[in-house]
Amino acid sequence: MKKLRGWQGSCFTCRSIPKKYLLAIQILTYPSVDRFRMAKYAVIADDFTGAGDSGVHFAASGLRTALVLDQAGVAGAFDRHDAVSLSTESRFLSPGEAAERVGEAVKACRSAGADAYYKKIDSTLRGNLSAEIAAALREGDFAGAVFCPAMPRT
């Protein structure tokens, strides 16, 4: 894997990470948004709060961002938005159920046109992290994941 560049506290730019890598990190911002304007970003979070607090960073960076509460809302969302933040509400489900929801979310985002993925994880590592990340890797056919938990300044 290429070396990550541009660390800024708990935020970093990912211009050196291949698109085939799932990003499983807390906060992702792009100081130079114009370089990334053509990509369609999918944020998959295990709860509504995570979807919201991740999506707001894309919006603050100037990207047209939608907060979607169910997978049906993903269809067509990338026609109007650069980033879609989706809640799977899977944090307190069994690992198998959580993995199924995340896998379906990845499929829905791929079908809708996403080409960059960000799997939001809880800052205190609650939930079904391994099951959800494994499901996202499998369904997205990703080469690997960048896993970087952090406590954001909020």
Side-chain angles (χ1 to χ4, degrees), residues 6-151:
W7 282 94
Q8 300 172 359
S10 61
C11 303
F12 71 93
T13 60
C14 69
R15 63 181 152 261
S16 63
I17 300 174
K19 280 177 132 178
K20 290 294 284 183
Y21 281 81
L22 169 74
L23 298 178
I25 59 177
Q26 287 304 102
I27 300 176
L28 181 65
T29 61
Y30 297 105
S32 143
V33 172
D34 292 335
R35 287 187 60 163
F36 302 99
R37 185 72 68 188
M38 300 305 292
K40 298 293 183 177
Y41 300 97
V43 176
I44 300 171
D46 66 357
D47 73 345
F48 175 75
T49 304
D53 70 17
S54 296
V56 74
H57 292 284
F58 286 91
S61 294
L63 297 174
R64 296 170 300 157
T65 306
L67 177 60
V68 178
L69 303 180
D70 60 41
Q71 291 176 17
V74 173
F78 287 108
D79 295 340
R80 299 175 309 279
H81 299 92
D82 305 308
V84 172
S85 192
L86 168 66
S87 173
T88 59
E89 292 302 317
S90 56
R91 181 174 297 168
F92 299 111
L93 297 178
S94 72
E97 290 173 310
E100 185 176 331
R101 282 204 190 171
V102 168
E104 291 300 318
V106 171
K107 288 179 194 176
C109 290
R110 183 177 53 229
S111 294
D115 51 23
Y117 294 81
Y118 165 49
K119 173 62 185 93
K120 169 66 170 77
I121 59 172
D122 180 64
S123 61
T124 61
L125 305 179
R126 292 178 296 168
N128 298 292
L129 278 69
S130 60
E132 291 188 10
I133 293 170
L137 287 170
R138 185 174 50 254
E139 294 300 332
D141 193 31
F142 296 107
V146 175
F147 181 77
C148 182
M151 289 297 287

